[in-house]
Amino acid sequence: MRKQIVAGNWKMNNDLAQTESLITALKNQAKTTDAEVMIAPTSTNLWAANNALKQSSIEVIAQNMHFAENGAYTGEVSASMLKSIGVNTVILGHSERREYFNETDELLAKKVDAALAKGMRVIFCFGEELADRKAGNEETIVGNQIKNALFHLGAAAFQNIVLAYEPVWAIGTGETASPEQAQDMHAFIRKTLADKYGNDIAETVSILYGGSVKPANAEEIFSKPDVDGGLIGGASLKAEDFFAIVNAF
Ligand code: 13P
């Protein structure tokens, strides 16, 4: 069976004190599902978060990293640096990185390679913009994002890759893809993988949905057969809401 995953992407929110208090609140929540739970605090708080959650089943993951091992890349963080503080999973390709930091498919391919080379797990994000969907181009856009950044990889690499479909028009807008829209796209993504790597690989890759997932809509979205979990932004900043989503499976 595919892993069910709920990951909270905190984005650029929560200073150290806020991180510590949200983690305390998360530890007080009861998990009633088998879903793997992850949180992605900002890079300055990864170390503290990881220490605070050492005895817990919540994994601390990074929101981004650079492709180089080290060197003259002011402001950046490498896979080795993340690994050295016990962070073994990284989100790559988030639409905010693509939009505000000009991250291209080519750059993301290098980042994916660097993370996998260090034995890290990658949550790889992609998704179409509203204009793409209005024009009926969403599958072409999503298919190309996946092919351009991932299809140079061998099949074995997909053991360490989780995909996250996040339609840009649904991120932080309160507008969610309908469960049917999510399912249709997830099925298309799985078929895209199957066409290249075969059914056996495609069936093992978890595909998360992200974009205005809330306690009120999580259950219906997660009930779709090709939706294996969620990447949660705003609702991951409240422990009760986040765990209501985790427990929606
Ligand atoms: P929201 O849940 O706030 O829409 O954000 C989704 C997201 O971007 C998660 O990575």
Side-chain angles (χ1 to χ4, degrees), residues 7-11 91 94-96 125 164 166-168 170-175 209-214 230-237 245:
N9 175 9
W10 291 7
K11 309 190 180 184
I91 298 171
H94 194 281
S95 67
E96 289 149 16
C125 307
E166 298 203 302
V168 178
I171 296 178
T173 60
E175 188 174 345
Y209 168 79
S212 299
V213 178
K214 309 280 180 231
L231 189 52
I232 319 300
S236 73
L237 299 173
I245 294 169

Side-chain angles (χ1 to χ4, degrees), residues 8 25 44 46-47 53 58 68 70 72 79 102 133 143-144 159 170-171 189 207 217 223 229 235 241-242 249:
T44 53
L46 287 170
W47 161 255
L53 287 167
I58 301 176
N70 49 46
N102 302 319
R133 183 159 279 266
N144 285 337
Q159 288 169 7
I171 296 178
I189 293 162
I207 307 176
N217 59 26
S223 72
D241 286 357
F242 186 54
F249 271 108

Side-chain angles (χ1 to χ4, degrees), residues 90-109:
V90 61
I91 298 171
L92 293 176
H94 194 281
S95 67
E96 289 149 16
R97 301 286 325 164
R98 294 176 190 259
E99 181 177 354
Y100 305 133
F101 303 96
N102 302 319
E103 296 200 359
T104 61
D105 293 344
E106 292 68 31
L107 174 78
L108 292 168

Side-chain angles (χ1 to χ4, degrees), residues 147-188:
K147 286 173 194 161
N148 292 341
L150 300 180
F151 273 16
H152 63 287
L153 298 169
F158 283 83
Q159 288 169 7
N160 287 318
I161 291 182
V162 171
L163 300 180
Y165 169 57
E166 298 203 302
V168 178
W169 47 271
I171 296 178
T173 60
E175 188 174 345
T176 323
S178 69
E180 291 70 31
Q181 283 174 320
Q183 168 56 27
D184 287 351
M185 182 58 87
H186 284 222
F188 167 77

